[in-house]
Amino acid sequence: MRARGLRVSTARRLVLQALFAAEGPVSAQQLARELAVDTTSVYRNLELLERFGVVRHVHLGHGAGLYVLAGRREFEYLYCERCENVTPVATHDLDPVRSHLEREFGFRAGFTHFAIVGVCKRCARRRRQ
Amino acid sequence: MRARGLRVSTARRLVLQALFAAEGPVSAQQLARELAVDTTSVYRNLELLERFGVVRHVHLGHGAGLYVLAGRREFEYLYCERCENVTPVATHDLDPVRSHLEREFGFRAGFTHFAIVGVCKRCARRRRQ
DNA sequence: ATACTTGCAAATGATTTGCCAGTGT
DNA sequence: ACACTGGCAAATCATTTGCAAGTAT
């Protein structure tokens, strides 16, 4: 799978496995803690895997960057600034949005680096404004 | 204008004036340097002004948060990840996008905290993919 | 006079870099 | 063997906090 120049070190495998098993995006710190691998190594591996296109990272609200496998179906995220809930959405669900931005501004938007921040259905119902 | 409990200290006035004069979002560091005010004070004033709704901040690519007056017409930003160019857009220009997200996911999106990241017209023309 | 503000030093949190010892191939 | 990796300490960047001195009201 990834025998193109990359060694299969223990830390590397662990990081990959953890990302594979994860339900959502995880921080480098979390990975380091859970895997008992030094934070530095986690960062170095994530960076390397990111260069190889295997991993990518997102920013939800404030706070640390979060890492995910690049191959996931749900590629983009709606982040509720009230309850901090994260709703992953499939790329094609945002295609209409992308088309609109392309038509209107000639801009090819990706929503993979930053989440779309706002207020989720439940929180909108709950409180006014 | 802001005589509702706030003192009008020199640093405060300078920060506000600088933001008023600025063409786009600026970092706290830039303000501190340009105004010869301590970075700490700049941050403290920005934070305070943000709480009072006078100022807000955005994140374009990576790097420091950038501050703008809250009253600006161009409220949201398209950020090109290739050339780092920033295109401000008026809120109502993104209304169709917001409507779509609301209809589709019941999600009230704001694009004020994170820029919309992608590839601008010019860069899309320039290089393939 | 007094509470709000400042600057400076130091702390924090995320991420990166240097360096040497350890290990996959 | 040897280049690639890992851990640990220390550096860096953005931002925050503590504290004593300064200032707007």
Side-chain angles (χ1 to χ4, degrees):
Chain A
M1 175 182 179
R2 71 207 83 109
R4 346 140 178 267
L6 294 178
R7 283 192 190 174
V8 186
S9 71
T10 317
R12 197 112 80 211
R13 185 164 15 81
L14 285 172
V15 167
L16 235 9
Q17 288 176 341
L19 288 176
F20 196 78
E23 300 133 57
V26 278
S27 73
Q29 316 264 8
Q30 285 174 92
L31 290 170
R33 206 175 329 110
E34 286 168 22
L35 305 174
V37 170
D38 193 90
T39 311
T40 306
S41 301
V42 173
Y43 273 113
R44 274 197 279 237
N45 279 310
L46 288 171
E47 196 244 316
L48 183 149
L49 293 166
E50 201 158 18
R51 269 193 282 114
F52 278 73
V54 181
V55 162
R56 67 193 179 86
H57 76 273
V58 243
H59 296 276
L60 306 181
H62 277 141
L66 303 176
Y67 296 80
V68 223
L69 282 190
R72 285 287 149 91
R73 178 92 46 90
E74 292 87 19
F75 228 68
E76 324 194 67
Y77 303 91
L78 308 181
Y79 175 76
C80 176
E81 60 191 2
R82 294 267 171 81
C83 68
E84 304 193 309
N85 182 58
V86 177
T87 311
V89 299
T91 305
H92 69 258
D93 284 333
L94 291 178
D95 282 346
V97 168
R98 260 184 289 272
S99 307
H100 180 265
L101 293 170
E102 169 110 43
R103 224 180 309 114
E104 213 59 32
F105 307 102
F107 188 87
R108 308 215 169 141
F111 295 100
T112 51
H113 183 230
F114 286 143
I116 296 178
V117 180
V119 179
C120 72
K121 195 189 304 205
R122 156 180 287 182
C123 287
R125 214 185 308 128
R126 218 180 280 276
R127 315 186 211 169
R128 293 278 108 210
Q129 184 194 165
Chain B
M1 174 184 181
R2 68 207 88 107
R4 343 142 178 269
L6 293 179
R7 285 194 188 174
V8 186
S9 71
T10 317
R12 196 111 79 212
R13 186 166 11 82
L14 285 172
V15 168
L16 235 10
Q17 289 177 338
L19 288 176
F20 196 78
E23 301 135 55
V26 279
S27 73
Q29 316 264 8
Q30 286 174 89
L31 290 170
R33 206 173 332 109
E34 286 167 23
L35 306 174
V37 171
D38 193 89
T39 311
T40 305
S41 301
V42 173
Y43 272 113
R44 274 196 280 235
N45 278 310
L46 289 172
E47 196 244 318
L48 183 149
L49 293 166
E50 201 158 16
R51 269 194 281 114
F52 277 72
V54 181
V55 162
R56 66 193 178 88
H57 76 272
V58 244
H59 296 277
L60 305 181
H62 277 142
L66 302 177
Y67 297 79
V68 224
L69 283 191
R72 284 288 149 87
R73 178 94 44 92
E74 291 87 16
F75 227 68
E76 323 194 66
Y77 303 91
L78 308 180
Y79 175 76
C80 176
E81 61 192 1
R82 296 266 171 82
C83 68
E84 304 194 307
N85 182 60
V86 177
T87 309
V89 299
T91 304
H92 68 258
D93 284 333
L94 291 179
D95 280 347
V97 168
R98 260 184 288 272
S99 307
H100 180 265
L101 293 170
E102 170 110 45
R103 225 179 308 118
E104 212 61 31
F105 307 102
F107 189 87
R108 307 215 170 142
F111 295 101
T112 51
H113 182 229
F114 285 142
I116 296 178
V117 180
V119 179
C120 72
K121 197 189 302 208
R122 160 180 284 181
C123 287
R125 215 186 305 127
R126 219 182 279 276
R127 315 186 212 169
R128 291 282 108 205
Q129 184 193 167

